[in-house]
mmCIF file of all heavy atoms in Angstrom:
data_model
loop_
_atom_site.group_PDB
_atom_site.id
_atom_site.type_symbol
_atom_site.label_atom_id
_atom_site.label_comp_id
_atom_site.label_asym_id
_atom_site.label_seq_id
_atom_site.Cartn_x
_atom_site.Cartn_y
_atom_site.Cartn_z
ATOM 1 N N TYR E 19 9.019 -6.568 -1.028
ATOM 2 C CA TYR E 19 7.827 -6.840 -1.839
ATOM 3 C C TYR E 19 6.813 -7.687 -1.069
ATOM 4 O O TYR E 19 5.630 -7.353 -1.022
ATOM 5 C CB TYR E 19 8.242 -7.538 -3.136
ATOM 6 C CG TYR E 19 7.094 -7.929 -4.036
ATOM 7 C CD1 TYR E 19 5.944 -7.135 -4.146
ATOM 8 C CD2 TYR E 19 7.137 -9.098 -4.786
ATOM 9 C CE1 TYR E 19 4.901 -7.501 -4.968
ATOM 10 C CE2 TYR E 19 6.093 -9.463 -5.623
ATOM 11 C CZ TYR E 19 4.977 -8.667 -5.704
ATOM 12 O OH TYR E 19 3.933 -9.036 -6.520
ATOM 13 N N HIS E 25 7.989 -3.239 7.504
ATOM 14 C CA HIS E 25 7.785 -4.475 8.257
ATOM 15 C C HIS E 25 8.993 -5.410 8.161
ATOM 16 O O HIS E 25 9.071 -6.402 8.891
ATOM 17 C CB HIS E 25 6.529 -5.177 7.741
ATOM 18 C CG HIS E 25 6.048 -6.290 8.612
ATOM 19 N ND1 HIS E 25 5.694 -6.091 9.936
ATOM 20 C CD2 HIS E 25 5.856 -7.610 8.385
ATOM 21 C CE1 HIS E 25 5.305 -7.240 10.454
ATOM 22 N NE2 HIS E 25 5.403 -8.180 9.543
ATOM 23 N N LYS E 112 2.978 7.029 2.451
ATOM 24 C CA LYS E 112 2.497 7.110 3.844
ATOM 25 C C LYS E 112 3.646 7.413 4.791
ATOM 26 O O LYS E 112 3.477 8.119 5.784
ATOM 27 C CB LYS E 112 1.847 5.790 4.262
ATOM 28 C CG LYS E 112 0.689 5.378 3.387
ATOM 29 C CD LYS E 112 -0.627 5.349 4.128
ATOM 30 C CE LYS E 112 -1.726 4.841 3.232
ATOM 31 N NZ LYS E 112 -2.951 5.636 3.288
ATOM 32 N N GLN E 178 -10.287 -7.584 -21.773
ATOM 33 C CA GLN E 178 -10.898 -6.309 -22.167
ATOM 34 C C GLN E 178 -9.864 -5.291 -22.599
ATOM 35 O O GLN E 178 -10.079 -4.526 -23.546
ATOM 36 C CB GLN E 178 -11.714 -5.749 -20.994
ATOM 37 C CG GLN E 178 -12.980 -6.535 -20.729
ATOM 38 C CD GLN E 178 -13.606 -6.160 -19.395
ATOM 39 O OE1 GLN E 178 -13.453 -5.040 -18.926
ATOM 40 N NE2 GLN E 178 -14.301 -7.108 -18.785
ATOM 41 N N TRP E 182 -9.569 -3.511 -26.225
ATOM 42 C CA TRP E 182 -9.463 -2.059 -26.320
ATOM 43 C C TRP E 182 -8.239 -1.653 -27.128
ATOM 44 O O TRP E 182 -8.301 -0.797 -28.011
ATOM 45 C CB TRP E 182 -9.395 -1.470 -24.916
ATOM 46 C CG TRP E 182 -9.046 -0.026 -24.846
ATOM 47 C CD1 TRP E 182 -9.867 1.034 -25.096
ATOM 48 C CD2 TRP E 182 -7.774 0.529 -24.492
ATOM 49 N NE1 TRP E 182 -9.188 2.214 -24.919
ATOM 50 C CE2 TRP E 182 -7.896 1.938 -24.554
ATOM 51 C CE3 TRP E 182 -6.541 -0.026 -24.125
ATOM 52 C CZ2 TRP E 182 -6.834 2.795 -24.260
ATOM 53 C CZ3 TRP E 182 -5.488 0.820 -23.827
ATOM 54 C CH2 TRP E 182 -5.637 2.224 -23.895
ATOM 55 N N ARG E 198 -11.358 6.375 -23.587
ATOM 56 C CA ARG E 198 -12.658 6.251 -22.932
ATOM 57 C C ARG E 198 -12.998 4.780 -22.803
ATOM 58 O O ARG E 198 -12.852 4.018 -23.758
ATOM 59 C CB ARG E 198 -13.722 6.960 -23.784
ATOM 60 C CG ARG E 198 -15.097 6.969 -23.150
ATOM 61 C CD ARG E 198 -16.101 7.536 -24.141
ATOM 62 N NE ARG E 198 -16.138 6.746 -25.360
ATOM 63 C CZ ARG E 198 -16.623 7.191 -26.500
ATOM 64 N NH1 ARG E 198 -17.070 8.418 -26.600
ATOM 65 N NH2 ARG E 198 -16.664 6.415 -27.558
ATOM 66 N N ASN E 200 -15.375 1.661 -22.785
ATOM 67 C CA ASN E 200 -16.639 1.521 -23.540
ATOM 68 C C ASN E 200 -17.712 0.796 -22.748
ATOM 69 O O ASN E 200 -17.433 -0.210 -22.110
ATOM 70 C CB ASN E 200 -16.393 0.859 -24.888
ATOM 71 C CG ASN E 200 -16.614 -0.628 -24.853
ATOM 72 O OD1 ASN E 200 -16.616 -1.225 -23.790
ATOM 73 N ND2 ASN E 200 -16.781 -1.225 -25.983
ATOM 74 N N TYR M 19 -4.818 6.220 8.121
ATOM 75 C CA TYR M 19 -4.957 6.624 6.716
ATOM 76 C C TYR M 19 -3.752 7.440 6.248
ATOM 77 O O TYR M 19 -3.167 7.183 5.207
ATOM 78 C CB TYR M 19 -6.250 7.425 6.532
ATOM 79 C CG TYR M 19 -6.470 7.955 5.136
ATOM 80 C CD1 TYR M 19 -6.066 7.236 4.004
ATOM 81 C CD2 TYR M 19 -7.101 9.175 4.930
ATOM 82 C CE1 TYR M 19 -6.287 7.733 2.721
ATOM 83 C CE2 TYR M 19 -7.320 9.674 3.650
ATOM 84 C CZ TYR M 19 -6.906 8.951 2.554
ATOM 85 O OH TYR M 19 -7.118 9.443 1.290
ATOM 86 N N GLU M 24 0.942 0.312 10.498
ATOM 87 C CA GLU M 24 2.144 -0.090 11.236
ATOM 88 C C GLU M 24 2.981 1.114 11.668
ATOM 89 O O GLU M 24 3.578 1.109 12.738
ATOM 90 C CB GLU M 24 3.002 -1.021 10.370
ATOM 91 C CG GLU M 24 4.058 -1.737 11.182
ATOM 92 C CD GLU M 24 4.672 -2.885 10.415
ATOM 93 O OE1 GLU M 24 4.803 -2.777 9.185
ATOM 94 O OE2 GLU M 24 5.016 -3.901 11.043
ATOM 95 N N LYS M 112 0.310 -7.313 3.121
ATOM 96 C CA LYS M 112 1.760 -7.491 3.333
ATOM 97 C C LYS M 112 2.032 -7.955 4.757
ATOM 98 O O LYS M 112 2.956 -8.718 5.017
ATOM 99 C CB LYS M 112 2.509 -6.184 3.081
ATOM 100 C CG LYS M 112 2.310 -5.644 1.678
ATOM 101 C CD LYS M 112 3.590 -5.599 0.892
ATOM 102 C CE LYS M 112 3.346 -4.919 -0.436
ATOM 103 N NZ LYS M 112 3.944 -5.620 -1.564
ATOM 104 N N TRP M 182 -18.455 6.489 -20.245
ATOM 105 C CA TRP M 182 -18.668 5.051 -20.335
ATOM 106 C C TRP M 182 -19.981 4.650 -19.666
ATOM 107 O O TRP M 182 -20.776 3.883 -20.207
ATOM 108 C CB TRP M 182 -17.490 4.325 -19.677
ATOM 109 C CG TRP M 182 -17.680 2.862 -19.466
ATOM 110 C CD1 TRP M 182 -17.590 1.872 -20.394
ATOM 111 C CD2 TRP M 182 -17.991 2.207 -18.227
ATOM 112 N NE1 TRP M 182 -17.814 0.654 -19.820
ATOM 113 C CE2 TRP M 182 -18.067 0.827 -18.489
ATOM 114 C CE3 TRP M 182 -18.208 2.662 -16.922
ATOM 115 C CZ2 TRP M 182 -18.350 -0.106 -17.486
ATOM 116 C CZ3 TRP M 182 -18.492 1.732 -15.939
ATOM 117 C CH2 TRP M 182 -18.560 0.365 -16.223
ATOM 118 N N ALA M 197 -17.998 -4.525 -19.777
ATOM 119 C CA ALA M 197 -17.075 -3.497 -19.337
ATOM 120 C C ALA M 197 -15.788 -3.443 -20.151
ATOM 121 O O ALA M 197 -14.745 -3.073 -19.656
ATOM 122 C CB ALA M 197 -16.728 -3.698 -17.868
ATOM 123 N N ARG M 198 -15.880 -3.827 -21.402
ATOM 124 C CA ARG M 198 -14.696 -3.712 -22.249
ATOM 125 C C ARG M 198 -14.330 -2.241 -22.366
ATOM 126 O O ARG M 198 -15.201 -1.390 -22.581
ATOM 127 C CB ARG M 198 -15.007 -4.289 -23.639
ATOM 128 C CG ARG M 198 -13.798 -4.288 -24.565
ATOM 129 C CD ARG M 198 -14.228 -4.754 -25.937
ATOM 130 N NE ARG M 198 -15.238 -3.854 -26.490
ATOM 131 C CZ ARG M 198 -16.052 -4.181 -27.481
ATOM 132 N NH1 ARG M 198 -16.014 -5.383 -27.995
ATOM 133 N NH2 ARG M 198 -16.914 -3.311 -27.946
ATOM 134 N N ASN M 200 -13.046 0.925 -24.227
ATOM 135 C CA ASN M 200 -13.143 1.176 -25.672
ATOM 136 C C ASN M 200 -11.901 1.847 -26.214
ATOM 137 O O ASN M 200 -11.412 2.790 -25.643
ATOM 138 C CB ASN M 200 -14.398 1.993 -25.975
ATOM 139 C CG ASN M 200 -14.124 3.481 -26.051
ATOM 140 O OD1 ASN M 200 -13.103 3.944 -25.582
ATOM 141 N ND2 ASN M 200 -15.011 4.201 -26.634
#
Side-chain angles (χ1 to χ4, degrees):
Chain E
Y19 177 35
H25 192 59
K112 302 244 184 226
Q178 289 167 29
W182 170 78
R198 184 187 59 199
N200 95 341
Chain M
Y19 177 35
E24 194 166 34
K112 301 243 186 225
W182 169 77
R198 184 185 61 199
N200 95 343

